[in-house]
Amino acid sequence: VQEDDKMAIGVFEYGIGDMARLAGSKVQTIRYYEDIGLMPEAMRNRGNQRRYDRKALDRLKFIRHCRNLGFGLDDIREMLSLSEDPDRPCEAVDEIAQRHREAVNRRIEQLETLRGELDRMIDECAGGKVCDCRIIEVLADHALCESEH
């Protein structure tokens, strides 16, 4: 089937703006994903406009959801590759998700430490003038912090 025939029968039904809107993404992001190979290069119509099918939209939604959950581009690329073999055991995908969960847990610990330090600085600030502000004093001298953050 020729490219124009595919267009005529509606196989490639989405323009890049449609894709962006339906996936909650930006047009520039879709172009970027194409440039780095996360999204396949789009079919082009006679007017050289990008055209996408449902499979491309589903892939973009998958990428978008992964990004919203904080997965890195390399992990997404690997999961997309793994998903191309649906009969394969999902052990490798599980490992990626577990590795990401561990990174999230480490980040949560760092943020809790940071929150504690901010709470302490705010609680120790007596108000008054900026020249006497405990927050400014602590921010100016990391040695005054109670923990590494």
Side-chain angles (χ1 to χ4, degrees):
V1 178
Q2 295 293 323
E3 172 185 291
D4 292 328
D5 294 336
K6 288 180 180 178
M7 299 288 180
I9 61 174
V11 174
F12 293 90
E13 55 191 302
Y14 306 109
I16 195 165
D18 298 325
M19 291 280 286
R21 181 178 47 77
L22 291 169
S25 187
K26 294 182 180 178
V27 168
Q28 298 88 338
T29 303
I30 298 169
R31 289 184 186 129
Y32 173 70
Y33 289 159
E34 286 181 13
D35 288 345
I36 64 170
L38 275 184
M39 290 289 295
E41 190 173 323
M43 180 74 70
R44 301 283 183 144
N45 65 12
R46 285 185 191 202
N48 202 30
Q49 295 173 323
R50 288 175 168 88
R51 301 301 297 174
Y52 300 89
D53 60 7
R54 181 64 196 202
K55 185 176 177 182
L57 176 59
D58 291 342
R59 184 180 183 101
L60 179 59
K61 286 180 175 181
F62 177 87
I63 294 167
R64 182 87 171 111
H65 193 197
C66 288
R67 293 298 288 154
N68 286 340
L69 290 172
F71 283 95
L73 296 176
D74 289 336
D75 286 340
I76 296 170
R77 186 182 319 280
E78 188 175 350
M79 286 188 288
L80 285 167
S81 176
L82 291 165
S83 72
E84 291 173 4
D85 184 3
D87 292 327
R88 180 181 179 151
C90 67
E91 181 179 352
V93 178
D94 291 347
E95 289 175 13
I96 293 168
Q98 289 173 12
R99 188 174 61 230
H100 184 59
R101 181 183 59 200
E102 290 168 8
V104 167
N105 285 337
R106 284 191 302 275
R107 183 69 179 138
I108 289 170
E109 289 173 13
Q110 292 169 342
L111 289 171
E112 287 174 344
T113 300
L114 177 61
R115 181 180 56 207
E117 191 63 41
L118 288 168
D119 287 346
R120 187 183 66 79
M121 284 190 305
I122 292 166
D123 290 346
E124 289 178 1
C125 186
K129 297 181 181 179
V130 172
C131 63
D132 299 322
C133 181
R134 179 64 177 169
I135 297 170
I136 296 291
E137 182 182 1
V138 172
L139 291 175
D141 184 357
H142 185 61
L144 297 174
C145 292
E146 287 186 347
S147 63
E148 282 300 314
H149 46 79

